[in-house]
Amino acid sequence: MRMYWGTAVLLVAAGIGGLTVLLPVTSLWLPGSPLATRLGLTTASGSDLGIPWLLARSPDRIQHDAVVALFGLLVGTAVATLATATLTILTLSAARGSAREPEVAVRRAVGASRGGLLAAALLEAAAVGAAALALGSVLGVVGTRVAIAEWPGIMELGTLGPDVVAALAIAAAIVMGAILPLAFPRQKRVAEAEAKPQGLLVPAFQLGISLTVLTASALIVRHAAHLIEAGRAGAGGGGGQVFEIAAPDGPPAERASQYAALLERLNRQFESGAVSLTSRGAIAGLGTVAVAVTECGRCYEGSIYTPWRFKDATHQLVTADSFQALGVHLIAGRGITSADRWGSQRVAVISRLLAARHFQDGNAIGRALKVGVEFSDWYTVVGVVDDRQPIGFGAATLPEYTVYLSLLQLPARSVELLIRSGASTAVTPVVNGALRETLGPLVPRVEPVAESALLAAEIAPLEWFGRWFRVEGWATLGLAVLGTFALMRLWVLSLRPELGVRRAMGARRSQILWFLLSRAAAVGMAGVVIGLWFGPALWQGLSQLVVGLPSWDPGIVAGYGSVLVATAIAGAVLPGWQAINAPPAELIGSG
């Protein structure tokens, strides 16, 4: 241990790095299902819109599914980090075993048994593994607490099972790396074995994994910032105030009347602003996903006559000012008005894409639309609005089509009140006074949330995942650097006899250095190719879960790719410099 302390330190560092980034992920993993996670988001009652649905997905369900899917991808990157840590530990162990072969040969020559050597190796591995597990566990627990503290939602109780498996995997890699060179002795030195071209695939594979994860994290972090800006721009700068209101129990007709009275009172108070009541999540573009049946008319799909189309759509409840407040532009017909209330003809406004694709010649105004499973749940389309880009967490899984219904005709219990006041009047006292007068004196006092803060809260889970993808990526790169440096050193050492012959035949130092660095650069380029080969599986998976996220970005890939190439070259610089400055006779004799 004292003689080869440098490699032992690197082994401990590799174990610490692996555990530090694994534990915050495994600690959030619940056993029993491949996709079970402790992470969750706050739910609210009344998000069903009061309609009898068939196989509908509420905003809560949509966001939960997005958390589970993104966590599954994060677990996949953690497994890739574990694989990189294992390869790095085995690589460092191989380098350690190669350096100790002369010592082992001497000990065998003076009578040491293989069992004794294995016992010594196990003792050394136990010391290295204990140090790695102790320090890595401490840092991993710190990372876990940071991850839990930063998560913008709720957290379930977990178990230690996944953490123990991660720790055992690191410990097993350290033990295997220590005993394999002794359990299966080679006739050749490890350095000679690593001189084969396929030996350099290991660092290339490690670098490729890090490229895949780092690119994914950069895409998420950058896109989260874009979503916040887009949401603010599309909603009038995000300068309004949002109140979450839970109406008391009562008949729907009575609640619809109370909502109408609330809007009338607030509109009188804020004449120069906008007052909008919407279903929960509508401000961020979320809603209940269910089948809508369109009266298409003389429509065909291929050669099949389809007068009725059954299509998944996002359903949102709105009031008269909602389209203006949300930045949704009217294209044809009219929007929802204050006259569209309980007892009047049921009406719907649909998005441009739904009208264009599933109504004859795109003419949807005046045609029927069925919502829910009840036979009486038919609505008349009275308007078409532009398609809206949702920014809510999980919005990428929403269908392309949106149906807007009148909240005064479907008075859900849980609603969001958005007020943009053009006056200096204090909003909160006015709202609470109006709630007590219209919904009853027992309605609890509500406090506003800034619209910009609400939009930021919708992006917060995505930002959390982006940060931890980035942690996994940089940790993978760090572990890959350790393995790459070790393997590149072994590779250069294995070429010393060949380099000595070249020097003896008149090759200049610059030529030999170019020979080494160009092949090291080729290893980095191979890592880029491997990353581009495996990366789309992760990048496309993310693009299907994050609305508007590109499947990849050439600029980001090029930036991180240059880091990989520089890393591979740096791993060959020191041993290459030592080789070109050694006498040819010494290089040839090292074989």
Side-chain angles (χ1 to χ4, degrees), residues 405-473:
L405 307 172
S406 172
L407 188 137
L408 299 183
Q409 294 181 337
L410 296 166
R413 281 200 57 205
S414 180
V415 295
E416 293 176 338
L417 172 64
L418 170 62
I419 294 181
R420 292 209 183 95
S421 173
S424 58
T425 306
V427 174
T428 304
V430 173
V431 169
N432 281 285
L435 288 175
R436 286 193 299 271
E437 290 193 14
T438 56
L439 299 184
L442 299 181
V443 174
R445 178 181 174 84
V446 294
E447 294 294 333
V449 176
E451 187 180 1
S452 58
L454 180 68
L455 298 177
E458 287 291 336
I459 306 300
L462 183 61
E463 293 178 318
W464 185 92
F465 278 105
R467 282 193 297 271
W468 284 99
F469 272 110
R470 175 172 289 178
V471 169
E472 294 286 339

Side-chain angles (χ1 to χ4, degrees), residues 129-523:
L133 290 178
L135 296 176
S137 297
V138 171
L139 294 177
V141 169
V142 173
T144 300
R145 292 184 176 180
V146 171
I148 292 175
E150 290 183 344
W151 174 248
I154 58 178
M155 190 76 59
E156 299 180 25
L157 295 176
T159 63
L160 295 177
D163 297 345
V164 172
V165 172
L168 289 178
I170 295 294
I174 293 175
V175 172
M176 288 179 59
I179 66 175
L180 283 181
L182 298 175
F184 303 98
R186 300 168 180 247
Q187 298 300 319
K188 295 181 180 181
R189 293 185 302 173
V190 175
E192 294 174 341
E194 295 297 337
K196 297 179 181 180
Q198 61 266 29
L200 296 181
L201 287 178
V202 175
F205 180 74
Q206 293 174 311
L207 295 173
I209 293 176
S210 63
L211 174 65
T212 297
V213 182
L214 283 171
T215 301
S217 67
L219 288 172
I220 292 178
V221 172
R222 184 188 66 179
H223 190 63
H226 289 174
L227 283 179
I228 292 178
E229 293 303 320
R232 290 173 178 170
Q241 297 187 60
V242 180
F243 298 81
E244 294 189 0
I245 299 173
D249 290 328
E254 179 183 347
R255 191 160 55 246
S257 176
Q258 291 172 335
Y259 285 156
L262 175 64
L263 288 172
E264 291 174 1
R265 178 180 176 84
L266 292 176
N267 277 315
R268 289 195 301 268
Q269 293 286 338
F270 305 107
E271 294 181 357
S272 59
V275 178
S276 166
L277 270 181
T278 58
S279 55
R280 181 177 173 270
I283 295 176
L286 299 177
T288 299
V289 175
V291 173
V293 183
T294 67
E295 182 194 6
C296 187
R298 299 184 60 84
C299 298
Y300 294 84
E301 286 184 322
S303 58
I304 301 176
Y305 179 50
T306 55
W308 307 99
R309 301 277 180 89
F310 295 77
K311 298 298 175 181
D312 280 340
T314 303
H315 298 72
Q316 299 175 1
L317 303 181
V318 296
T319 52
D321 284 350
S322 297
F323 291 136
Q324 176 187 354
L326 300 178
V328 180
H329 304 292
L330 184 67
I331 296 175
R334 67 172 178 86
I336 300 296
T337 69
S338 57
D340 299 320
R341 58 181 62 196
W342 188 268
S344 63
Q345 180 188 17
R346 293 193 171 187
V347 297
V349 175
I350 62 175
S351 60
R352 179 206 298 261
L353 204 55
L354 180 59
R357 291 184 178 178
H358 301 294
F359 287 89
Q360 182 182 350
D361 300 326
N363 297 321
I365 306 299
R367 291 192 176 275
L369 178 78
K370 189 176 188 304
V371 175
V373 297
E374 297 292 339
F375 181 77
S376 59
D377 291 339
W378 286 96
Y379 295 75
T380 301
V381 177
V382 296
V384 178
V385 295
D386 209 352
D387 296 295
R388 183 187 176 202
Q389 180 76 16
I391 69 166
F393 182 69
T397 63
L398 297 177
E400 311 176 274
Y401 314 121
T402 306
V403 174
Y404 300 94
L405 307 172
S406 172
L407 188 137
L408 299 183
Q409 294 181 337
L410 296 166
R413 281 200 57 205
S414 180
V415 295
E416 293 176 338
L417 172 64
L418 170 62
I419 294 181
R420 292 209 183 95
S421 173
S424 58
T425 306
V427 174
T428 304
V430 173
V431 169
N432 281 285
L435 288 175
R436 286 193 299 271
E437 290 193 14
T438 56
L439 299 184
L442 299 181
V443 174
R445 178 181 174 84
V446 294
E447 294 294 333
V449 176
E451 187 180 1
S452 58
L454 180 68
L455 298 177
E458 287 291 336
I459 306 300
L462 183 61
E463 293 178 318
W464 185 92
F465 278 105
R467 282 193 297 271
W468 284 99
F469 272 110
R470 175 172 289 178
V471 169
E472 294 286 339
W474 283 112
T476 303
L477 180 59
L479 293 167
V481 166
L482 289 178
T484 299
F485 275 46
L487 268 181
M488 295 304 295
R489 178 177 179 275
L490 289 175
W491 176 70
V492 174
L493 290 177
S494 71
L495 294 178
R496 287 171 67 91
E498 177 186 343
L499 300 179
V501 173
R502 291 180 178 233
R503 287 285 309 280
M505 296 297 292
R508 295 190 300 272
R509 287 187 174 90
S510 59
Q511 292 176 320
I512 293 177
L513 187 60
W514 171 254
F515 168 77
L516 294 175
L517 297 186
S518 62
R519 278 152 183 78
V523 172

Side-chain angles (χ1 to χ4, degrees), residues 73-163:
L73 292 177
L74 186 61
V75 169
T77 62
V79 171
T81 302
L82 175 61
T84 304
T86 302
L87 284 174
T88 298
I89 290 171
L90 294 177
T91 299
L92 292 171
S93 299
R96 183 181 177 88
S98 175
R100 297 188 60 177
E101 278 193 357
E103 173 203 342
V104 173
V106 172
R107 295 178 65 181
R108 289 295 304 277
V110 297
S113 64
R114 181 178 298 176
L117 294 176
L118 284 174
L122 285 174
L123 287 175
E124 292 183 11
V128 171
L133 290 178
L135 296 176
S137 297
V138 171
L139 294 177
V141 169
V142 173
T144 300
R145 292 184 176 180
V146 171
I148 292 175
E150 290 183 344
W151 174 248
I154 58 178
M155 190 76 59
E156 299 180 25
L157 295 176
T159 63
L160 295 177
D163 297 345

